[in-house]
Amino acid sequence: MTLVANTKHFSPHTYYIHTFGCQMNVNDSEHIAEILHQAGLRPANSPEKSDLIIINTCAVREKSEEKLFSFLGRLKTYKKKKNIRIGVTGCVAQLRREEIFRKAPHVDFVVGPDNYYRLQELVFSGNKEVATAWHTDWRELPTPLKRTSPISAYVTIMEGCNNFCTYCVVPFTRGREKYRPLNLILDEIKKLADSGYQEIHLLGQNVNSYQDPESGQDLVDLLERVNQIEGLQWIRFITSHPRNFHRRLAEAMAHLEKVCHQLHLPVQAGSNKILTLMKRQYTREEYLEKIALVRELVPDVSLSTDIIVGFPGEEEEDFEQTLDILRKVQFDNIFSFRYSPRPRTAAARLPDSVPLEVKRERLVRLQNWQRNIQLAKHKALCGRVMKVLCTGRSKKDPSQFSGRNEAYQVINFASPRDVFGQFVQVKIIDYGPYSLKGELVESGEKS
Ligand code: SF4
């Protein structure tokens, strides 16, 4: 929809993308960059050096929205000095289109996640525009040639969500579930493997409800096909909904040699009362059964989860049930947040009954509890030698590298030679609550 037509010609040469949020947004930014690249634009390494600034946004938490408006505030004076075009993309664009123009009239266009295929047109039009229409079909975007990492790539397999958990804004920002055709996913991954990618993450808000639109093949079928792609070494998938996590998928994790023994299974809360209010569609008992199932079939599986504290109606005994889930499962990692009401969600209509200081105190307690679990787990890894994909190197010290093991734990290690992009063996020599420290073990070297 054109809000204000502009006859001024606009032809940018350079672009800068600022990304907020999750892996899905990082992957979307890679696609956006490819679209701009195909339009003849080149990346700039700061907003000051670019003619086009795109802010790719996240709406999952209130805080990320605040960050967007503060970033836009900083661009206001800059736009007065230079003829630039500013676009807001992503989930906040979809959710807050009117508010963005009201609070930041210097924004030129707003594009929701379902409309990136229109980006070229919006960049060059010079008009003030909004593109937030929904589409029910999958619209393939150009495959990014340049990615954030040269070793590990995100590959989107589905978008949106049909679950409508009462706290979650995703169904309103990404729409209903849409599945990417299986042949397009395989083509992209084959190309990535041919160009040296070692690891891929299959991405979607709810990957275990994936179905190829043509054949109906599911995530397990897809994993089996990806597992056959030569050159690739590790396959991960995120995010899984506990309701859709089943024995067949756990079996695939156990027998497909490239599928990492790592599972992110968001529990969100430990009490059945809160799980019902959240409309998560499983009980704590059912969740624990799924954990037992995956541990039975994949005994060395590394488990992580998401937790929300202070959901409306959460009382001390509900919160203690959440701590109890942590105690019982012994997760390898958790992502924990204070509840904040999100627009249009069902929970936003409930009284936000837990005072802020109680939410804060519970979050600290939860994180301390988990910190101790992780410290104990990491301590037990000392002396072990493990396979690590080196994904980073220190800018300051050329002997320091970082990477991840199969469990997706962060490992910082020293190496006398450059091992960036390689699989290496690392001996764990120290640990902290959130990462491990190690040293390179050369082949033939005794550990
Ligand atoms: S399953 Fe995940 S993405 Fe879907 S509504 Fe629930 S929290 Fe949001």
Side-chain angles (χ1 to χ4, degrees):
M1 183 189 14
T2 303
L3 299 181
V4 181
N6 193 343
T7 47
K8 250 202 294 181
H9 179 66
F10 186 76
S11 60
H13 300 288
T14 51
Y15 69 89
Y16 176 83
I17 305 174
H18 190 91
T19 309
F20 291 106
C22 62
Q23 297 102 319
M24 196 77 152
N25 265 16
V26 172
N27 188 230
D28 283 351
S29 291
E30 292 170 345
H31 283 285
I32 292 171
E34 183 60 30
I35 293 169
L36 300 175
H37 182 80
Q38 291 189 4
L41 275 76
R42 295 291 165 261
N45 51 18
S46 70
E48 291 75 22
K49 289 184 183 145
S50 63
D51 309 320
L52 168 71
I53 299 170
I54 290 192
I55 306 133
N56 194 13
T57 60
C58 168
V60 171
R61 303 196 198 288
E62 209 170 9
K63 223 176 184 171
S64 5
E65 279 193 37
E66 288 163 12
K67 283 188 198 160
L68 162 71
F69 286 109
S70 113
F71 191 85
L72 283 173
R74 293 204 295 278
L75 294 180
K76 197 173 173 181
T77 17
Y78 179 52
K79 193 169 177 178
K80 277 186 192 149
K81 292 187 208 149
K82 193 177 166 190
N83 181 26
I84 57 164
R85 201 154 160 78
I86 300 174
V88 178
T89 59
C91 293
V92 186
Q94 187 69 39
L95 200 67
R96 304 273 200 196
R97 45 197 183 265
E98 288 89 12
E99 202 177 335
I100 290 171
F101 283 123
R102 203 177 60 245
K103 285 191 176 169
H106 50 296
V107 168
D108 296 290
F109 60 90
V110 166
V111 191
D114 240 13
N115 292 271
Y116 295 152
Y117 70 98
R118 291 191 53 205
L119 259 171
Q120 270 202 32
E121 163 205 338
L122 296 167
V123 165
F124 289 101
S125 77
N127 298 337
K128 226 172 177 48
E129 300 216 35
V130 174
T132 50
W134 291 116
H135 304 291
T136 50
D137 54 329
W138 181 268
R139 299 196 175 202
E140 184 71 4
L141 297 173
T143 302
L145 294 178
K146 250 180 108 39
R147 307 219 176 206
T148 315
S149 159
I151 313 144
S152 174
Y154 299 126
V155 175
T156 298
I157 66 165
M158 57 90 63
E159 268 222 60
C161 187
N162 297 343
N163 284 319
F164 288 88
C165 300
T166 58
Y167 55 83
C168 182
V169 81
V170 164
F172 307 101
T173 60
R174 297 261 172 188
R176 306 299 171 272
E177 290 179 7
K178 278 197 291 276
Y179 311 115
R180 188 178 182 197
L182 190 128
N183 62 324
L184 296 178
I185 300 171
L186 294 176
D187 280 355
E188 181 175 0
I189 299 175
K190 278 182 199 143
K191 282 185 195 136
L192 287 165
D194 288 346
S195 55
Y197 278 84
Q198 312 262 5
E199 177 186 60
I200 57 125
H201 303 246
L202 302 176
L203 285 188
Q205 275 84 23
N206 198 11
V207 285
N208 43 16
S209 66
Y210 174 78
Q211 280 194 330
D212 175 34
E214 278 206 355
S215 64
Q217 292 182 83
D218 66 7
L219 179 65
V220 173
D221 301 314
L222 174 64
L223 287 171
E224 281 170 355
R225 299 283 298 277
V226 179
N227 192 61
Q228 291 164 10
I229 296 177
E230 267 183 45
L232 211 60
Q233 299 227 32
W234 278 352
I235 305 164
R236 304 182 192 272
F237 55 92
I238 189 165
T239 294
S240 297
H241 191 293
R243 187 177 65 125
N244 304 114
F245 187 83
H246 44 69
R247 175 170 281 271
R248 204 168 143 255
L249 184 51
E251 283 168 352
M253 289 178 72
H255 80 257
L256 296 173
E257 70 280 5
K258 294 181 186 174
V259 175
C260 290
H261 289 181
Q262 177 231 337
L263 179 66
H264 183 71
L265 202 61
V267 63
Q268 307 294 4
S271 101
N272 284 336
K273 181 185 102 187
I274 298 299
L275 288 172
T276 306
L277 286 170
M278 287 177 163
K279 197 171 155 270
R280 286 294 287 175
Q281 307 175 73
Y282 52 81
T283 61
R284 64 180 270 121
E285 293 76 18
E286 284 161 347
Y287 182 86
L288 290 171
E289 275 166 25
K290 306 253 173 171
I291 295 292
L293 169 73
V294 69
R295 282 219 163 113
E296 173 203 327
L297 296 170
V298 191
D300 62 344
V301 69
S302 158
L303 294 165
S304 57
T305 200
D306 296 334
I307 308 264
I308 296 171
V309 300
F311 187 81
E314 184 190 78
E315 295 183 66
E316 179 58 25
E317 56 263 38
D318 300 307
F319 174 66
E320 279 168 16
Q321 299 248 306
T322 301
L323 292 180
D324 184 59
I325 289 266
L326 261 54
R327 186 179 60 75
K328 286 199 163 82
V329 178
Q330 300 281 303
F331 291 105
D332 295 272
N333 195 10
I334 66 163
F335 300 87
S336 51
F337 310 94
R338 263 190 279 127
Y339 170 77
S340 61
R342 306 307 297 126
R344 301 185 60 192
T345 60
R349 295 192 288 275
L350 298 171
D352 192 3
S353 59
V354 183
L356 183 60
E357 60 274 21
V358 176
K359 285 181 187 166
R360 282 196 180 125
E361 183 272 327
R362 284 183 190 162
L363 188 64
V364 170
R365 233 185 324 152
L366 180 102
Q367 290 175 343
N368 285 341
W369 187 282
Q370 178 62 23
R371 189 175 185 273
N372 290 335
I373 292 173
Q374 286 177 209
L375 276 171
K377 288 193 148 211
H378 290 178
K379 185 177 179 188
L381 293 174
C382 274
R384 285 259 298 270
V385 175
M386 51 185 66
K387 185 176 171 182
V388 172
L389 176 58
C390 178
T391 49
R393 61 185 144 210
S394 162
K395 282 187 186 136
K396 288 185 196 143
D397 181 346
S399 71
Q400 291 301 314
F401 296 84
S402 62
R404 302 246 185 195
N405 59 7
E406 187 179 339
Y408 212 52
Q409 288 161 315
V410 176
I411 296 158
N412 300 306
F413 62 99
S415 165
R417 60 187 173 88
D418 187 357
V419 290
F420 179 75
Q422 297 173 25
F423 278 99
V424 287
Q425 295 291 320
V426 174
K427 182 177 179 178
I428 303 305
I429 54 169
D430 203 357
Y431 65 96
Y434 308 111
S435 64
L436 297 160
K437 192 175 165 197
E439 59 193 14
L440 185 78
V441 177
E442 297 286 8
S443 53
E445 194 179 316
K446 281 209 171 138
S447 56

